Amino acid sequence: MQLRKTIDKILANFLVIIMAIMVINVLWQVASRFIIGSPSSFTDELARYLMIWIGILGAAYVSGRNMHVAIDVLPRRFNPPTQKRLMLVVRLLIILFCLVAMVIGGSRLVYITYVLGQNSPALQVPLAVVYAVIPISGVLIIYYKLSDILKKQ
């Protein structure tokens, strides 16, 4: 569990840093538009990419803390042993989805954009770097859910 706490702390700090950069970026965008009168060309694109990273990595963080939104009407109707089995099935489905959609699909997306050499228009950042958050987040969610399964047994 020490590894999980370390990953949580690193991920939380990284999310705070990304959010701080995004706030400074948006403040600069507003200042350059309304005070200087010449809007910055890169701030909109950077804010968009930072928002993608915050959203997807934030989902992994929240999943690891088990603080995500959940509909628990069905589990509450079952007895505790059935609730445990249902939670196991849900965790396994989450792992399957993350493996197929986020890790495999996201890795293919990263690979394709890397091979094609696609760069963002204003920042000229390879889009593979922007999309890399998808498989990274998928691996994190899989780790968290496997950790939850092993911890409960």
Side-chain angles (χ1 to χ4, degrees):
M1 287 301 123
Q2 184 61 29
L3 177 62
R4 184 175 176 139
K5 288 180 183 179
T6 304
I7 291 173
D8 279 345
K9 188 171 186 172
I10 291 169
L11 189 54
N13 289 333
F14 190 62
L15 286 168
V16 167
I17 290 168
I18 293 174
M19 189 65 175
I21 293 169
M22 193 166 105
V23 167
I24 292 167
N25 178 59
V26 171
L27 286 174
W28 172 248
Q29 183 179 27
V30 171
S32 67
R33 176 173 292 140
F34 293 111
I35 296 173
I36 300 173
S38 174
S40 182
S41 61
F42 71 90
T43 53
D44 183 47
E45 190 173 285
L46 181 60
R48 187 177 316 118
Y49 295 152
L50 291 174
M51 181 65 83
I52 291 168
W53 274 67
I54 287 172
I56 296 175
L57 279 177
Y61 178 74
V62 168
S63 176
R65 305 280 298 200
N66 289 316
M67 295 174 18
H68 46 70
V69 176
I71 300 172
D72 61 352
V73 175
L74 185 63
R76 285 186 181 187
R77 294 177 184 231
F78 295 131
N79 58 11
T82 306
Q83 286 179 357
K84 283 186 177 184
R85 284 192 298 267
L86 182 62
M87 285 308 301
L88 177 63
V89 169
V90 168
R91 286 185 176 119
L92 290 173
L93 288 173
I94 290 170
I95 290 170
L96 180 65
F97 171 79
C98 287
L99 180 65
V100 173
M102 296 179 78
V103 176
I104 295 172
S107 296
R108 289 184 64 186
L109 177 65
V110 170
Y111 176 74
I112 289 168
T113 54
Y114 178 76
V115 168
L116 293 177
Q118 293 180 339
N119 292 331
S120 66
L123 295 171
Q124 289 300 306
V125 173
L127 288 179
V129 172
V130 176
Y131 297 145
V133 72
I134 299 169
I136 291 169
S137 188
V139 168
L140 286 170
I141 293 172
I142 289 170
Y143 168 75
Y144 283 134
K145 293 306 158 192
L146 284 174
S147 173
D148 286 343
I149 290 171
L150 296 175
K151 181 176 69 175
K152 300 295 180 190
Q153 294 179 356

